[in-house]
């Protein structure tokens, strides 16, 4: 089987998570500057087989889209043009950053480590991917 990646897309940086080749476990992979995301993905795809990506869908409590959705849609268009063979899925990402912060605080990391935004982005991407895997098996 091929891997699935999740992207927690942000204005400045994106958290990336990946499954194992059996698509059982979601693991934090990296945090990448948004401007370098396509280049990062090109390198990653040249070494790893990926069948799909999951991009967070940023909605508020009322179901309204966040401002960043416009940038996400532009990224997805560019992604599909660059990698037409890789499926793109969307998944509601409400509360993933809060959950990531909670899980990090429970992990025994120091306060300085817990405040690293890149770590929160990676863990958020992992939560998005894990939720996607769980929904797929239902």
């Amino acid at each position: 089987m091929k891997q699935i990646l999740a992207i927690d897309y942000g204005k400045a940086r994106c958290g990336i998570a990946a499954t194992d080749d059996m698509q059982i476990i979601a693991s934090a992979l990296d945090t990448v500057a948004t401007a370098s995301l396509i280049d990062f993905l090109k390198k990653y795809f040249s070494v790893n087989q990926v069948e799909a990506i999951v991009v967070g869908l940023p909605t508020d409590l009322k179901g309204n889209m966040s401002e960043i959705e416009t940038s996400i849609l532009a990224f997805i268009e560019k992604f599909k043009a660059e990698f037409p063979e890789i499926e793109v899925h969307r998944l509601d990402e409400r509360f993933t950053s809060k959950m990531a912060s909670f899980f990090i605080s429970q992990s025994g990391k120091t306060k300085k480590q817990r405040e690293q935004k890149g770590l929160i982005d990676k863990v958020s991407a992992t939560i998005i991917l894990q939720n996607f895997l769980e929904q797929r098996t239902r």
Side-chain angles (χ1 to χ4, degrees), residues 54 90-92 128-138:
V54 182
R90 302 296 304 276
L91 189 76
D92 187 346
I128 291 167
L129 187 52
Q130 189 63 47
N131 288 342
F132 177 78
L133 293 174
E134 288 171 7
Q135 283 186 6
R136 218 176 49 159
T137 58
R138 288 184 194 152

Side-chain angles (χ1 to χ4, degrees), residues 18-30:
T19 65
D20 59 306
D21 290 336
M22 297 298 294
Q23 299 180 3
I24 297 170
I25 298 169
S27 301
L29 185 62
D30 208 345

Side-chain angles (χ1 to χ4, degrees), residues 1-2 20 37 39 43 52-53 63 67-68 70 74 76 80 85 91-92 97 100 110-111 114 119 129 138:
M1 291 178 93
K2 297 179 180 180
D20 59 306
L37 182 57
D39 289 335
K43 289 177 189 169
I53 65 165
E67 297 175 18
I68 190 97
T70 305
I76 290 172
K80 285 180 177 181
E85 70 283 357
L91 189 76
D92 187 346
S97 292
T110 66
K111 184 176 181 188
R114 289 192 310 259
L119 179 59
L129 187 52
R138 288 184 194 152

Side-chain angles (χ1 to χ4, degrees), residues 6-11 13-15 54-61 63-69 72 76 89-100 120-121 123-129 131-132 135:
I7 300 172
D8 181 30
Y9 193 93
K11 289 180 183 177
R13 71 192 162 274
C14 300
V54 182
V55 182
L57 185 64
T59 56
D60 64 18
L61 291 175
N64 300 317
M65 290 296 150
S66 170
E67 297 175 18
I68 190 97
E69 179 63 7
I72 293 171
I76 290 172
H89 301 278
R90 302 296 304 276
L91 189 76
D92 187 346
E93 66 174 42
R94 264 182 278 195
F95 306 116
T96 56
S97 292
K98 287 187 191 314
M99 290 185 340
I120 291 172
D121 294 335
V123 175
S124 292
T126 307
I127 293 168
I128 291 167
L129 187 52
N131 288 342
F132 177 78
Q135 283 186 6

